[in-house]
Amino acid sequence: MDNLIALLVAAPLLGAAVLLCGGRRLDRFGHWIGTLLAAVSFVIGAVLFVDMLGKGAEHRALHQYLFSWIPVEGFQADVAFQLDQLSMTFVLLITGVGTLIHIYSIGYMEHDERRRRFFGYLNLFLAAMLLLVLADNYLLLYVGWEGVGLASYLLIGFWQHKPSAATAAKKAFLVNRVGDMGLSIAIMLMFTTFGTFAFGPVLASTGGTSEGKLTAIGLMLLLAACGKSAQVPLQSWLGDAMEGPTPVSALIHAATMVTAGVYLIVRSGAIFNAAPDAQLVVVVVGAVTLLFGAIVGCAKDDIKKALAGSTMSQIGYMILAAGIGPIGYVFAIMHLVTHGFFKAGLFLGAGSVMHGMNDEVDMRKFGGLRTYMPVTFITFGLGYLAIIGFPGLSGFFSKDKIIEAAFAKGGTEGWILGGVALLGAAITAFYMTRVMLLTFFGEKRWQPDAEGHEPHPHESPKSMTIPMIVLAFGSVFAGGFFSIGDRFLNWLEPVTGHSHGESPVGAATVTAATMVVLVIGVAIAWTMYGRRPVPVVAPHGSLLTRAARRDLLQDDFNHVVLVRGGEHLTRSLVYVDHTLVDGVVNGTAASMGGLSGRLRKLQNGYARTYAVSMFGGTAVVIAATLLMRAV
């Protein structure tokens, strides 16, 4: 079975190569090739999963060595794969949800003349993400990491004729380069510390390594995770990434790019367990981001950007759980999987709404769509209930476990983290209820577009609604299925480890508190948007509202600190270069030129000048001789 692991990556990679190099002759059926090869990868993953279930927990890990990539003395880099319970979880999520998004894209991109290229990029995205989670060493993981960055750049800027899309792609690419620098530094530190970058030796050697080195490695890994998973302070690219086609948003937010940072931290758990300072920074980043994203989501009228803020917040929950350590590793991944179902469903639902509303994204221009788009309404509604943690749905089981784990951290830190997680749950209930009310309830607020065309909302074709139904099924049942008999916990514990911690409050108390804040959030949203008329143009709002509409001034901060700061630094360096460096160089050259000019006068070619020089020299020699004799 281990020989099948490489095929997981090879299938979508082959699809990308064929679709991107095959030319226009594939335009008519290229989308079917891309979808088929994504499905093939999922089937291979399912076969490997069934085989893994038939083995004991200690024998489930598979390895496949392909070839030696860089064989030099003292430096060995192999192309080899590792498939264990953690990577298998990601394989099924990436290929399963990814295949559904491929199917959805067949209808969504039907009239796009570059559809073949789009599916080629989707295949490339799957291949890069699979390489990332299947690599058995950090260097090969880095190749997949960069591949994900490249594919995201291509997909976010797919409609590059739009300046906003081209700018968003460049922004995502540049911000992620900052995080990628962190990962490259971490890998170099690993090699100088452990002599290798393979998972096994690195993670097994943390016990005998100084805490300072492990802290440095952990912080660099966190920087990498912040870039890919859009965590503070590298979160500014995520909202702009909505300029890409909606299936791209679903793929990035649910199954691929933003989950990579969570995977990296959980996979490197042994490093963070031995570096408590780095672990504390992870917790702080997760806690800050879950509130940051939730607040941003409250103020967005663009349905996709509201969901983008939601993704930022939910990934913050996962990073928070991962930062808690063995208490939260399993629950971080569990919420990642359930989030993959309901967030993909929500984004595909948003795309369905746009499909029926002439690509309109402003929720203030929707209203009453539940009667026109019943399948979209039901599937989107189930995703909404799942993300706010409605009892019995997936989010209820996974997010509540993270809140419990936060309290189980113990001491003052546990109370603070638990309180932050509860506050985030309340805000989540508010902004997601706002999205539901603005989109599907109330009076219709449709307006003709710039060309005078009135929207005619209608249900999407089956190629789009069937994936939404499947994802809604997962949104409802996945969390409960994972929780029966601690099924998911028992599955991942051999890889991630687990500790119950010492919670000052019981699980029942946490559940009750979560339900209270959920009701409060829904009630406030209903009061503001369900009982009152919704103006088509958003009111001016409070200072916080205006700041949230501008993503809590993250771009303003980046512009002032980084852009302007970089400009001032550049001007300073140019001034130093012109005045000091060029001054020394040019001054030396001028001095030598002046000196040579003066010396040149001694060799002018005139005999009388040479005669005078000889006479003068002779006179000096005679005078010096007489002076010495006199002394």
Side-chain angles (χ1 to χ4, degrees), residues 10-348:
L13 189 60
L14 174 64
V18 169
L19 294 176
L20 296 177
C21 301
R24 295 181 180 274
R25 66 178 68 90
L26 299 178
D27 283 353
R28 288 183 299 171
F29 53 88
H31 50 285
W32 292 110
I33 295 175
T35 303
L36 175 63
L37 288 172
V40 166
S41 187
F42 173 70
V43 170
I44 295 172
V47 170
L48 289 168
F49 174 65
V50 172
D51 178 70
M52 189 176 285
L53 287 177
K55 301 176 181 178
E58 66 279 4
H59 301 296
R60 285 175 171 167
L62 299 175
H63 290 81
Q64 182 180 9
Y65 170 84
L66 293 183
F67 58 88
S68 184
W69 178 17
I70 309 175
V72 296
E73 185 177 358
F75 186 93
Q76 183 72 25
D78 296 331
V79 175
F81 299 125
Q82 172 180 304
L83 184 66
D84 55 18
Q85 292 92 317
L86 178 59
S87 50
M88 175 57 77
T89 302
F90 277 84
V91 165
L92 294 177
L93 175 67
I94 294 164
T95 58
V97 175
T99 300
L100 292 174
I101 292 173
H102 275 70
I103 296 172
Y104 178 94
S105 300
I106 292 174
Y108 190 87
M109 301 293 289
E110 181 178 5
H111 302 294
D112 195 296
E113 60 181 14
R114 299 171 67 234
R115 180 165 63 167
R116 169 185 56 83
R117 183 177 295 274
F118 179 78
F119 275 81
Y121 292 159
L122 288 183
N123 272 197
L124 179 63
F125 212 151
L126 292 191
M129 189 66 191
L130 287 168
L131 178 62
L132 191 158
V133 300
L134 288 171
D136 83 333
N137 61 82
Y138 284 97
L139 190 61
L140 188 59
L141 178 150
Y142 187 77
V143 176
W145 192 271
E146 290 301 310
V148 168
L150 170 62
S152 66
Y153 168 78
L154 296 172
L155 285 168
I156 293 170
F158 183 74
W159 287 328
Q160 54 196 346
H161 59 276
K162 298 166 53 180
S164 57
T167 301
K170 288 186 288 185
K171 184 176 182 180
F173 191 83
L174 291 173
V175 172
N176 272 274
R177 295 293 73 73
V178 178
D180 295 352
M181 183 62 70
L183 182 56
S184 63
I185 294 173
I187 293 173
M188 288 185 277
L189 288 174
M190 288 176 192
F191 187 77
T192 57
T193 303
F194 305 108
T196 180
F197 27 69
F199 290 151
V202 169
L203 300 179
S205 303
T206 55
T209 306
S210 71
E211 185 176 315
K213 290 183 179 179
L214 293 176
T215 299
I217 294 173
L219 291 177
M220 290 299 101
L221 291 175
L222 174 61
L223 180 62
C226 286
K228 279 290 183 287
S229 294
Q231 300 292 285
V232 172
L234 300 180
Q235 79 288 0
S236 62
W237 65 270
L238 194 63
D240 298 84
M242 299 305 97
E243 291 293 336
T246 300
V248 176
S249 303
L251 194 61
I252 288 177
H253 288 247
T256 54
M257 188 165 178
V258 296
T259 65
V262 182
Y263 170 80
L264 181 65
I265 292 176
V266 174
R267 174 62 77 186
S268 309
I271 294 174
F272 288 96
N273 294 340
D277 291 338
Q279 202 170 52
L280 175 61
V281 179
V282 174
V283 170
V284 171
V285 167
V288 170
T289 307
L290 79 86
L291 293 180
F292 190 104
I295 293 171
V296 168
C298 291
K300 294 296 185 180
D301 293 329
D302 184 319
I303 186 171
K304 289 174 65 176
K305 290 191 176 183
L307 294 177
S310 169
T311 297
M312 192 188 304
S313 179
Q314 297 304 307
I315 299 295
Y317 271 105
M318 301 170 206
I319 296 293
L320 169 66
I324 296 173
I327 303 174
Y329 287 144
V330 171
F331 304 131
I333 302 301
M334 181 177 174
H335 192 53
L336 185 150
V337 176
T338 60
H339 177 264
F341 285 111
F342 55 70
K343 184 52 62 67
L346 288 169
F347 267 111
L348 297 188

Side-chain angles (χ1 to χ4, degrees), residues 547-569:
R549 287 174 185 155
R550 296 173 61 87
D551 299 328
L552 293 180
L553 308 181
Q554 54 183 307
D555 283 332
D556 301 82
F557 176 83
N558 290 341
H559 185 76
V560 171
V561 176
L562 300 178
V563 177
R564 289 189 178 176
E567 290 174 352
H568 290 308
L569 176 61

Side-chain angles (χ1 to χ4, degrees), residues 350-391:
S352 180
V353 170
M354 293 168 58
H355 182 268
M357 292 292 291
N358 295 345
D359 288 330
E360 180 60 66
V361 295
D362 189 345
M363 293 183 291
R364 293 182 178 274
K365 297 178 182 179
F366 294 160
L369 292 180
R370 68 187 186 280
T371 58
Y372 297 88
M373 311 177 72
V375 176
T376 301
F377 166 64
I378 293 173
T379 55
F380 193 98
L382 292 174
Y384 151 72
L385 293 175
I387 195 173
I388 68 172
F390 189 83

